[in-house]
Amino acid sequence: MPNPTVRSMLVANPSMIIAAVQQMQEDLPATSAQFSWSISAFVLVQGLVPLVWSAISEVKGRKLVYVVSLALFTAGSIVVAVGNSIGLVIGFRCLQAAGSSAVISIGAATLADMYEPAERGAKMGIYYISPLLGPSIGPILGGGLTTGLGWRAIFWFLSIVSGSICLSFVIFFRDTFRKERSLTYQNILKQRQGEVANKRSSHTDLEKNTPPQNVVNLSVKDVNPVRPVGLVLRRINNVTILFASGLQFAFYFLIAYTTARTLSMDYHYNALAIGLVIVAFGVGSITGSVLGGRFSDYELARLKAANGNVSYPEPPNINNTDCYPDAPENWTYASTLAYIVDSNTGRSSSAVATNSAFRGVSAFVAIEIAVPLQASSVDGLGDGWTYTLWAGLMLISGLLILLIAYRGQGWRQKAEEREALHGNKA
């Protein structure tokens, strides 16, 4: 599994420049709208590109994806560090986003490779510390570097860290991908075997001469990121939990960005002070993630024992007894991700990548509308009503999770029966 420190540094990337917003706008120069676009474009690309990384990892394994993506992130960081225009910065920030997205997304699939469902809740809670810790320590690191050395030091720091991590992956990382457990890999393999067999069928018996699995070598050309994602989205339970996850992630990014803007423009905090304020939000998020993951494992074990040692991805629906508490946003982070992985056996990487896409698009929209919403009460809603609006959206997210608690098992089982009937298990 990728070290949480790796993910923390990569996820900290967008939040590190939040503390440097004023200095970057003056130096490049850039308007508030352009700077918002640099952040939202990063988040959007970081959310969508995992659909490609995931598909590649299900054919060529995890290690190749980790190494290539980290190399891209390093290259993007170097170019941004020497960039002198907002257009160049936005373009190569997108390259950074594409590189960082692989570690963020297929890391959960790596966990699924290594641990059984009964262990994943706590492991997901620990693992998910990194995307929560990153945005928390990011403003502090970014603020310190900006105050002491200027905003470009942020990207030199990231290039050194990511380059070192990339080298460590090349030398030390052992691929966790197991072909026999990947429905995506097995489906592509059967398709390729059929094609090879059909070419020989005119000369000899098809069944007798179907080549063994190790004769057919799959390549990147066999990657199709659309079909696995389509199968994930055909399940109602997946779409419901993905919308809830997207709203949570959008709120998390919005809080950090709008808080930094308010503290900088209205209260004239410097970059380091802004980082120190935002870290409080991160500490609460980390605590919620760890406790949520452990609670998920505890509930799964308790309900499994009460149901004759039989378990489902929706623990509350066993015997129709308990349901998940209407917990704070980050309490549900780990449990939500664990559910997405456990309810999509054999295509966990595609499911997590789809989750990343939902989160990226949601965060993109949230950041794009943040500036006009946060404007003064004459032109926009202001801080108070902006956060009130998002409180309502978080309530909707919680209700969607409760809906999964009550209806998710039935939806999932019907989808699995339909897929088994029509042979769409890949």
Side-chain angles (χ1 to χ4, degrees), residues 254-295:
L254 179 103
I255 283 289
Y257 181 51
T258 55
T259 299
R261 280 176 47 83
T262 299
L263 293 176
S264 174
M265 297 179 181
D266 296 343
Y267 296 95
H268 308 293
Y269 280 33
N270 63 29
L272 183 58
I274 292 172
L276 291 172
V277 172
I278 294 177
V279 75
F281 182 62
V283 170
S285 300
I286 292 167
T287 303
S289 178
V290 173
L291 293 179
R294 294 192 177 278
F295 177 79

Side-chain angles (χ1 to χ4, degrees), residues 7-24 35 39 93 129-148 150-151 153-154 157-158 252-261 263-264 269-283 285-286:
R7 299 183 77 227
S8 295
M9 288 297 100
L10 297 181
V11 182
N13 181 27
S15 64
M16 287 181 77
I17 71 167
I18 288 176
V21 54
Q22 190 169 359
Q23 189 178 118
M24 290 185 70
F35 192 81
I39 297 176
R93 288 277 291 157
I129 286 177
S130 49
L132 300 174
L133 179 62
S136 304
I137 65 173
I140 296 178
L141 288 173
L145 289 169
T146 301
T147 302
W151 67 266
I154 295 174
F157 171 78
L158 288 172
Y252 191 87
F253 261 91
L254 179 103
I255 283 289
Y257 181 51
T258 55
T259 299
R261 280 176 47 83
L263 293 176
S264 174
Y269 280 33
N270 63 29
L272 183 58
I274 292 172
L276 291 172
V277 172
I278 294 177
V279 75
F281 182 62
V283 170
S285 300
I286 292 167

